[in-house]
Amino acid sequence: MSSHIPINQVDPTAPTPQNTPLTHAPIAAGLSRPTVPDITEDNEAEEEETSGTIQQAMLGLVHGKLSGLVGKSSGYVESLPVEVKKNVEALKGVQAKQIELQNQYKRECLELEKKYLELQKPLYDRREAIINGAAPPTQEEVEAGEQQTAKDDPDYTPLPKDVAPASTGIPEFWLTALRTHVGFADIITERDADALKSLKDIRIEYLPTTESKPGFKLRFFFAPNDFFENDVLEKTYLYQEEVGYTGDFMYDHAIGTEIKWKEDKDLTKEFEVKKQRNKNTNRTRLVRKARPTASFFNFFNPPQPPSDEAIESGDIDEDELEELEEKLEMDYQLGEDLKEKIIPRAIDYFTGKALEYEDFDDEDDFEDIDDEDDEDEEFDEDV
C-alpha cells in the first residue's frame, strides 16, 4: 500500500543507488516484429491491416491469460515431492542472506552519501553567502561560472570586468528556483510567493545511524517575515528498515514542522464571513469561518499512510485510498526531487537550465476530450 512506495527517480545524470530506475521490457515487445513485405503482392495495405488486427487480438489474448494468472499458483510447486520441497526452502534461506547483504549495502551507500554531503558543506555555505549578500563572489568564482556558461552557450557574451557584483546577493533566488520545478510550480500560489521571498536557504541532512529507520531531513531557512514565527521549517522523510523487493529503500512516512502562523496570516486557510440568523430572536450576526486551501506550506503537513487495520476493516473506501495514494506519491516525489535535484543544482533551477533535462510527458500521450464529455463533467461537479 502507500506505506511501501518505492523511490521513483528520473534523472539524466549518472545513476546512483537512489535514482537508478528498474525497467521492465513489456511482454508485448516480442509479439510485433518488423517484416519485409513481398513486393510482388498487390494487397499490401490489406495484409498490413490484417496483420495489425491479428497482433491486437494476440496481444489481448496474452493480457487476458496473464491477468487470470496473477496471484494464482499453477500447482506445480505444491505437487513437488517433499525431498524437492526441502531444496526450495533452502533457496529461500539463501535468498534471505542475500537480502541481509543488500540491506547492509544500502546502509553503506547512505553513509557514503553522508560523507560527500559533509565534503560539500563549505560549498553550500559559500552559495548561501552569495545568494543572501553576506559575502561577495570572488573574481575567480565569476570567471569559473562564465567559463561554464560559455561551454553551454557558444554565443555567450562575457560580462564587463569593471562592474562589481551586487552587494544584495540574488533576490527571490529560492522562490524562482522552486517555481521552475514543475511539481512545486503547481502548488505555489501567489499568496505563498510573498512568504517564499524570505526563504534564504534549503539544506538536507541525513538521519543519524543510531535511528532505527534511515532517512533524511529537509530544512528551509527563513528570514523574519510577516507570516510565521519559525526561523526554520523542517520535513523529515523516513524509509522502511529493510529494502524493498526491487532492492531500493522504500518510503515509510514523512513528518513536518508545525508552522506558528501569525494572526490572520495562515496561508493554508481561507477565511470567509457569513451572516447567521438566530431562529428564536431573529437577530443576525457575522461569523468568520476558515476552510483549507491550496498552498505550498501544506508540504509541511504531509499525508499519512492508513493503518493496515483501517484498510482491512473497510473504514477507507477504494476511492479514498486511491486519492491518498496519489497524494503520498506526489509528496514523496517532491521530497526526493529536492534531495536529488533542486538542492544540489539550485542555480540550474534558478536559470531554467534544469528544464532541459526534465522528462516531460509527450503530447502524444494525451488525447482531446469531446465537448460533450466536458459538459457531463461540469454537470457532475455542479451536482
Side-chain angles (χ1 to χ4, degrees):
M1 187 36 231
S2 304
S3 58
H4 305 291
I5 296 176
I7 304 171
N8 180 21
Q9 215 28 50
V10 179
D11 198 334
T13 58
T16 69
Q18 277 66 42
N19 68 15
T20 304
L22 294 175
T23 57
H24 303 281
I27 295 174
L31 296 178
S32 177
R33 302 181 185 277
T35 57
V36 181
D38 187 346
I39 60 176
T40 61
E41 299 288 343
D42 294 329
N43 57 347
E44 294 176 352
E46 182 180 348
E47 286 186 355
E48 183 178 350
E49 181 178 352
T50 304
S51 175
T53 303
I54 293 174
Q55 289 176 6
Q56 289 297 325
M58 288 295 295
L59 184 59
L61 178 62
V62 171
H63 282 306
K65 292 288 187 182
L66 289 176
S67 62
L69 291 174
V70 173
K72 294 182 179 179
S73 171
S74 65
Y76 172 70
V77 175
E78 290 80 359
S79 67
L80 292 173
V82 174
E83 296 84 350
V84 179
K85 286 183 178 179
K86 285 195 173 184
N87 292 339
V88 172
E89 295 305 316
L91 290 184
K92 294 179 183 179
V94 171
Q95 179 172 282
K97 292 182 179 180
Q98 290 176 314
I99 294 174
E100 289 178 7
L101 288 175
Q102 186 73 12
N103 282 328
Q104 181 181 341
Y105 163 72
K106 299 303 288 188
R107 291 270 187 173
E108 290 181 8
C109 283
L110 278 181
E111 291 304 311
L112 195 60
E113 288 186 18
K114 291 179 187 179
K115 172 186 174 181
Y116 279 90
L117 179 62
E118 190 63 27
L119 292 175
Q120 294 178 74
K121 187 177 183 299
L123 299 175
Y124 283 134
D125 291 341
R126 185 68 184 144
R127 181 175 74 181
E128 179 188 5
I130 295 174
I131 290 174
N132 296 296
T138 64
Q139 186 61 34
E140 292 178 344
E141 290 170 334
V142 175
E143 291 176 356
E146 289 196 293
Q147 289 175 7
Q148 186 63 45
T149 303
K151 182 179 178 181
D152 297 334
D153 180 12
D155 298 328
Y156 172 73
T157 301
L159 300 172
K161 296 184 181 297
D162 57 345
V163 178
S167 60
T168 54
I170 307 177
E172 303 180 18
F173 177 88
W174 286 105
L175 169 60
T176 304
L178 288 173
R179 274 182 158 172
T180 303
H181 183 273
V182 176
F184 282 107
D186 284 342
I187 64 175
I188 295 176
T189 68
E190 288 301 321
R191 296 199 310 159
D192 294 333
D194 289 336
L196 288 172
K197 290 176 182 178
S198 63
L199 179 57
K200 300 190 302 180
D201 198 16
I202 309 176
R203 296 287 184 104
I204 177 177
E205 294 180 3
Y206 287 96
L207 300 184
T209 53
T210 55
E211 297 289 337
S212 60
K213 293 182 178 179
F216 62 93
K217 179 182 295 185
L218 301 170
R219 309 192 75 205
F220 295 71
F221 296 84
F222 287 86
N225 59 80
D226 297 332
F227 297 90
F228 46 82
E229 303 289 349
N230 311 63
D231 296 327
V232 183
L233 298 180
E234 296 180 344
K235 179 80 169 286
T236 302
Y237 286 90
L238 296 170
Y239 298 135
Q240 295 284 325
E241 295 181 44
E242 296 185 356
V243 298
Y245 197 81
T246 60
D248 288 320
F249 276 123
M250 311 291 284
Y251 280 116
D252 186 81
H253 67 282
I255 304 170
T257 299
E258 180 182 352
I259 303 177
K260 300 176 182 177
W261 296 103
K262 294 182 179 180
E263 187 175 0
D264 295 338
K265 294 293 185 177
D266 189 342
L267 297 173
T268 65
K269 291 184 175 64
E270 282 185 342
F271 296 93
E272 58 182 353
V273 178
K274 288 190 173 183
K275 182 183 292 187
Q276 292 183 341
R277 185 182 302 277
N278 189 297
K279 296 179 180 179
N280 299 321
T281 64
N282 211 31
R283 294 178 59 184
T284 61
R285 66 175 182 177
L286 297 178
V287 178
R288 190 165 178 267
K289 291 188 175 182
R291 58 185 176 87
T293 189
S295 170
F296 162 83
F297 291 95
N298 287 320
F299 179 71
F300 299 97
N301 183 25
Q304 296 300 312
S307 64
D308 293 337
E309 293 78 11
I311 297 175
E312 292 173 0
S313 63
D315 292 342
I316 305 177
D317 62 36
E318 187 174 341
D319 291 339
E320 290 177 324
L321 281 175
E322 184 176 346
E323 182 181 355
L324 182 56
E325 180 82 24
E326 292 176 358
K327 289 181 179 179
L328 286 165
E329 288 182 356
M330 174 60 72
D331 182 66
Y332 294 145
Q333 189 62 59
L334 290 175
E336 191 69 20
D337 282 357
L338 277 166
K339 170 177 171 282
E340 295 288 341
K341 297 181 179 181
I342 300 176
I343 294 177
R345 297 182 178 272
I347 186 60
D348 290 342
Y349 280 89
F350 178 80
T351 63
K353 179 185 175 182
L355 292 177
E356 299 175 15
Y357 305 99
E358 289 290 343
D359 184 25
F360 296 108
D361 291 327
D362 195 307
E363 290 186 4
D364 293 338
D365 295 336
F366 297 88
E367 60 182 8
D368 293 333
I369 300 176
D370 296 335
D371 292 339
E372 183 178 346
D373 293 338
D374 287 341
E375 290 175 3
D376 291 341
E377 221 170 275
E378 292 174 3
F379 177 80
D380 291 340
E381 290 175 354
D382 291 338
V383 170

